[in-house]
Amino acid sequence: MTMNTKPQLLAIIPAHNEEQGIAKTIEDLLNQSLGILILIVCDNCTDNTVPIVKEFERRYKSVKLMETVNNKTKKAGAINQAIKAIGNYPLDAILLMDADTQIDRKAVEESWNTLSSDPTLAAICSKAGVLPYKGKNPFEWILYYLQRLEYSLFDSQRVETLRSIKVVHGMSALHRWSAILEVGGFDDNNLVEDYDLTIRYKEAGYNVTVNLEMKAWTEVPVRLKSWWKQRLRWNRGGVDTLKKHGWNNVTRNYILQHYVMSIITIIQWFFLIMFVIMIFQGNLLMHGFVLIVTLLSLLSSLYRLKYLEKRGVVDYVFRLLLLPEMVYGFLQSLNQFHAYYNFFLNKKQSW
């Protein structure tokens, strides 16, 4: 496929009770600078998602509705049913996107330009943006802002591992059709199907990357209980996936990272406790080593803000205060150890 030939692209959007946002998602896809077919896969919907999609299907030839049949494996199962239904239709790539994701007008074009330029690439994921918080709860606002900063950190980490990113995330990514067929689609029983698929791409000899000009934005949980449940699914799913694949050339670094990060986390807990104690004692400047480590960490954090879109005063204030992100990091590490605990006890993890 050459750059001058119009590619055959299809967006597959699994949707479960997405009546609030599905229209905006479809409109974003209809307005893309590079044309793309749209398949909305309604999965066990009990709200008005299906009627909304049917109206778009009536008005636009490029929009199609599909409803899953007896799907019990959430997003992965819905996408796999769609892949099976597509059959032998000649496609170059499929855009897999969450129903609550919004994308920039040139997102599809940007991702296709990257994917078509290198046959070794299996998938391109988008920049991970966060939609604005519209509530008024101060605690939800703080959790929202911490995740806004965290998602920009994810982007900076992807840039640092450009052709071998850890996860082709599920919020918005363009996948080479032949590659996703080669590895057999998604694992229906995986809690983090995007991580598992990324590993299988690499095991098959493909590269994966990010294009920061492929811009997309998603909602984040703003209640602590919802956030905890989401992250527990991510963390537990990640460990389960590594167990499934075992030790090999692709997974060994990821497995070692879990051991290394566990040690680093314990050290970070120590520094956090020391930092808080020194603040209350009023003698922070007396501990030069801790101060140097803190300043280096702060400089690194401020530098990574360059990956955050529309950054403003609040973003810099959060970084400079240090403590909110330190507490947030502490919560993240507790969640990770909770996932380890559930893994070793073989406890069932739900969505």
Side-chain angles (χ1 to χ4, degrees), residues 125-130 148-162 165 169 171 210-212 214 216 304 306-309:
C125 72
S126 70
K127 182 179 178 68
V130 176
R148 172 176 155 82
L149 294 172
E150 178 190 21
Y151 274 54
S152 71
L153 177 62
F154 290 159
D155 283 331
S156 71
Q157 291 169 341
R158 292 186 186 102
V159 170
E160 291 166 359
T161 55
L162 191 56
I165 60 174
H169 61 67
M171 64 181 281
V210 63
N211 183 341
L212 296 185
M214 180 190 180
R304 290 174 184 270
K306 74 176 187 176
Y307 295 100
L308 182 64
E309 282 192 341

Side-chain angles (χ1 to χ4, degrees), residues 135-333:
K136 297 181 179 180
N137 185 303
F139 296 104
E140 291 181 356
W141 179 81
I142 290 172
L143 183 57
Y144 160 80
Y145 250 96
L146 289 169
Q147 289 175 91
R148 172 176 155 82
L149 294 172
E150 178 190 21
Y151 274 54
S152 71
L153 177 62
F154 290 159
D155 283 331
S156 71
Q157 291 169 341
R158 292 186 186 102
V159 170
E160 291 166 359
T161 55
L162 191 56
R163 289 181 56 79
S164 187
I165 60 174
K166 185 176 181 180
V167 183
V168 178
H169 61 67
M171 64 181 281
S172 180
L174 190 71
H175 298 254
R176 192 180 301 277
W177 181 237
S178 57
I180 200 167
L181 290 180
E182 180 182 337
V183 301
F186 285 104
D187 179 354
D188 280 359
N189 298 309
N190 200 294
L191 290 169
V192 284
E193 70 286 331
D194 48 3
Y195 183 37
D196 175 73
L197 182 62
T198 303
I199 290 177
R200 284 190 284 124
Y201 280 150
K202 293 178 180 180
E203 290 174 340
Y206 287 102
N207 295 315
V208 291
T209 192
V210 63
N211 183 341
L212 296 185
E213 295 305 314
M214 180 190 180
K215 298 177 182 178
W217 302 268
T218 191
E219 294 181 346
V220 292
V222 293
R223 295 186 178 180
L224 187 59
K225 184 177 180 180
S226 300
W227 175 88
W228 188 270
K229 186 176 181 180
Q230 179 200 64
R231 297 314 172 89
L232 192 60
R233 176 173 63 84
W234 289 2
N235 289 326
R236 171 64 188 279
V239 179
D240 285 341
T241 298
L242 292 176
K243 178 184 178 182
K244 166 192 166 184
H245 287 269
W247 181 278
N248 60 42
N249 290 338
V250 173
T251 61
R252 62 187 179 191
N253 286 340
Y254 300 143
I255 294 171
L256 289 172
Q257 283 173 13
H258 278 275
Y259 288 104
V260 173
M261 289 307 299
S262 296
I263 296 172
I264 291 175
T265 296
I266 294 172
I267 295 173
Q268 287 176 333
W269 287 355
F270 171 77
F271 274 106
L272 176 61
I273 294 170
M274 289 294 295
F275 187 81
V276 173
I277 290 174
M278 285 185 287
I279 288 176
F280 281 104
Q281 288 180 342
N283 60 350
L284 183 61
L285 295 176
M286 297 296 292
H287 299 266
F289 176 71
V290 174
L291 184 61
I292 290 172
V293 171
T294 302
L295 288 175
L296 289 174
S297 176
L298 178 60
L299 289 173
S300 175
S301 296
L302 288 172
Y303 171 77
R304 290 174 184 270
L305 275 177
K306 74 176 187 176
Y307 295 100
L308 182 64
E309 282 192 341
K310 297 180 180 179
R311 54 190 177 274
V313 174
V314 175
D315 301 301
Y316 286 99
V317 169
F318 263 84
R319 279 282 152 92
L320 290 170
L321 286 176
L322 282 176
L323 194 56
E325 285 192 281
M326 292 175 72
V327 173
Y328 184 66
F330 180 71
L331 286 174
Q332 289 176 304
S333 60

Side-chain angles (χ1 to χ4, degrees), residues 115-133:
L115 189 67
S116 62
S117 68
D118 186 350
T120 71
L121 289 173
I124 316 292
C125 72
S126 70
K127 182 179 178 68
V130 176
L131 291 171
Y133 172 64

